Amino acid sequence: EIVMTQSPATLSVSPGERATLSCRASQSVSSNLAWYQQKPGQTPRLLIYRASTRATGIPVRFSGSGSGTEFTLTISSLQSEDFAVYYCQQYNNWPPYTFGQGTKLEIK
Amino acid sequence: QITLKESGPTLVKPTQTLTLTCTLSGFSLTTSGVGVGWIRQPPGQALEWLALIYWDDDKLYSPSLKSRLTITKDTSRNQVVLTMTNMDPVDTATYYCARALVGSCGIGACYSFFDYWGQGTLVPVSS
């Protein structure tokens, strides 16, 4: 089973600043990596798939990069609605599909 | 508009079998490249993938839960059903269904991600 490790667990950033979230896989997942956003009490929302492709309707301030075992989600200029929990998920080696434990992005 | 909606019991007793239904709208499980998966989330915890069924009836299960899970589809009703046997309080979670979309295929394998999610249904397990 591939273990996904996200860091940091909590990230405090001011609105308007850049946020960088990391995700590491225990072995290579090629570019088969997705990022999801989950706001309190809401369902997860797909942001990025194939490591760097934005899903339909996702603002350009969200960008993904990386391949193999190291991945990054960058939010270029944080808006108030971006404060949430972010999960990475690999879909290269299955079963099982595995998620990271999440990074909580909070207002500084 | 693509939507998924989960339905099931509001409370399950330990040792009982959980049956959850995901009703699909805006797409069909007869379409090539499409699947539906189940993912759960215990309160305050991370997401855990459970099972996935594809348009061609290929089925995948979490190895750690495989003996307890069964996933089926009813294309005439546009529904996917997940059953989980021998429920325990540690299985208390919000259960989501989500559409799996095949993004690419390699040699002998295809790679799919979850692009649309249902609202989730909270299933407490308690006596």
Side-chain angles (χ1 to χ4, degrees), chain B residues 83-123:
Chain B
T83 61
M84 180 180 289
T85 61
N86 195 26
M87 292 292 285
D88 183 272
V90 300
D91 296 313
T92 293
T94 296
Y95 287 75
Y96 297 98
C97 61
R99 188 178 83 157
L101 186 65
V102 173
S104 63
C105 291
I107 300 174
C110 288
Y111 306 102
S112 54
F113 51 88
F114 301 107
D115 61 345
Y116 290 91
W117 294 59
Q119 64 191 20
T121 183
L122 176 61
V123 180

Side-chain angles (χ1 to χ4, degrees), chain A residues 1 32 34 36 38 41-46 48-50 55-56 87 89-102, chain B residues 39 41 45-49 52 54 58 60-64 96 103-104 108-120:
Chain A
E1 172 175 329
N32 293 312
Y36 302 88
Q38 187 177 33
Q42 295 189 20
T43 193
R45 172 194 182 195
L46 176 68
I48 301 284
Y49 62 93
R50 199 148 175 84
T56 303
Y87 293 97
Q89 179 233 330
Q90 68 84 20
Y91 54 96
N92 191 71
N93 293 63
W94 39 261
Y97 295 86
T98 48
F99 293 85
Q101 80 280 16
Chain B
I39 302 101
Q41 185 174 37
Q45 297 186 39
L47 300 162
E48 178 186 17
W49 172 77
L52 174 56
Y54 281 109
D58 191 18
L60 301 172
Y61 295 101
S62 170
S64 63
Y96 297 98
S104 63
C110 288
Y111 306 102
S112 54
F113 51 88
F114 301 107
D115 61 345
Y116 290 91
W117 294 59
Q119 64 191 20

Side-chain angles (χ1 to χ4, degrees), chain A residues 96-108:
Chain A
Y97 295 86
T98 48
F99 293 85
Q101 80 280 16
T103 290
K104 182 180 181 181
L105 181 57
E106 63 177 27
I107 300 175
K108 186 174 183 180

